[in-house]
Amino acid sequence: MALKKILVAYDGSDLADKALGLAFDIALPNPETKVDVVNVVPIPLLNETQAIGLKDITDMMIEDGKETLYAAHDKIEALGDRAGTLLLTGTAPATELLKLANGGEYDLIILGNRGLSGLKEYMGSVSYKVFHGAEIPVLIAK
């Protein structure tokens, strides 16, 4: 099965760089394979008054997310127009990734594993939640 479109979750960490490298290595020799790099900016669930008070912080987090994606795109720019970036916001990064990935457009998700184990992994790892909630194959970089 040829991969047409790969989704890479990217947060700028070393393991996210490994995931991005895997996607690049898969896509480079396959001229039909596209790579979308996504960064999810976690926005806490706030009421209207709280949201107004935190608007500057939220804007700063979104700008940081954009800069993270620019850095990721630079690393795969050899793919040319087969490389894209997406910035998402939401209260739960894993949920946002799953909504995007399970929408039918992607053949594979690649993301880094933060190395959490035991109860911590079960309770909070984005990679754990994506692995168990995805309807498509997931490749986790370690």
Side-chain angles (χ1 to χ4, degrees), residues 27-140:
L28 189 61
N30 299 298
E32 294 182 17
T33 303
K34 297 180 180 183
V35 175
D36 278 347
V37 183
V38 64
N39 179 267
V40 181
V41 176
I43 305 296
L45 192 56
L46 305 170
N47 65 36
E48 193 173 313
T49 303
Q50 292 169 323
I52 291 169
L54 290 176
K55 183 181 180 328
D56 291 339
I57 294 170
T58 302
D59 290 346
M60 186 172 53
M61 290 171 65
I62 289 171
E63 282 305 311
D64 286 346
K66 288 178 183 177
E67 288 178 22
T68 298
L69 286 175
Y70 294 145
H73 191 270
D74 288 347
K75 294 176 183 184
I76 60 170
E77 71 178 325
L79 295 176
D81 63 355
R82 296 186 294 138
T85 58
L86 302 162
L87 181 71
L88 303 177
T89 60
T91 57
T95 300
E96 298 307 318
L97 288 169
L98 286 169
K99 281 194 274 187
L100 181 62
N102 290 339
E105 190 174 336
Y106 296 97
D107 302 308
L108 176 67
I109 306 166
I110 304 178
L111 70 165
N113 178 4
R114 293 179 54 177
L116 299 175
S117 61
L119 185 60
K120 281 185 177 179
E121 180 176 303
Y122 180 75
M123 296 299 288
S125 171
V126 171
S127 60
Y128 181 89
K129 290 176 182 175
V130 169
F131 180 79
H132 288 284
E135 298 169 358
I136 61 173
V138 177
L139 177 60
I140 299 176

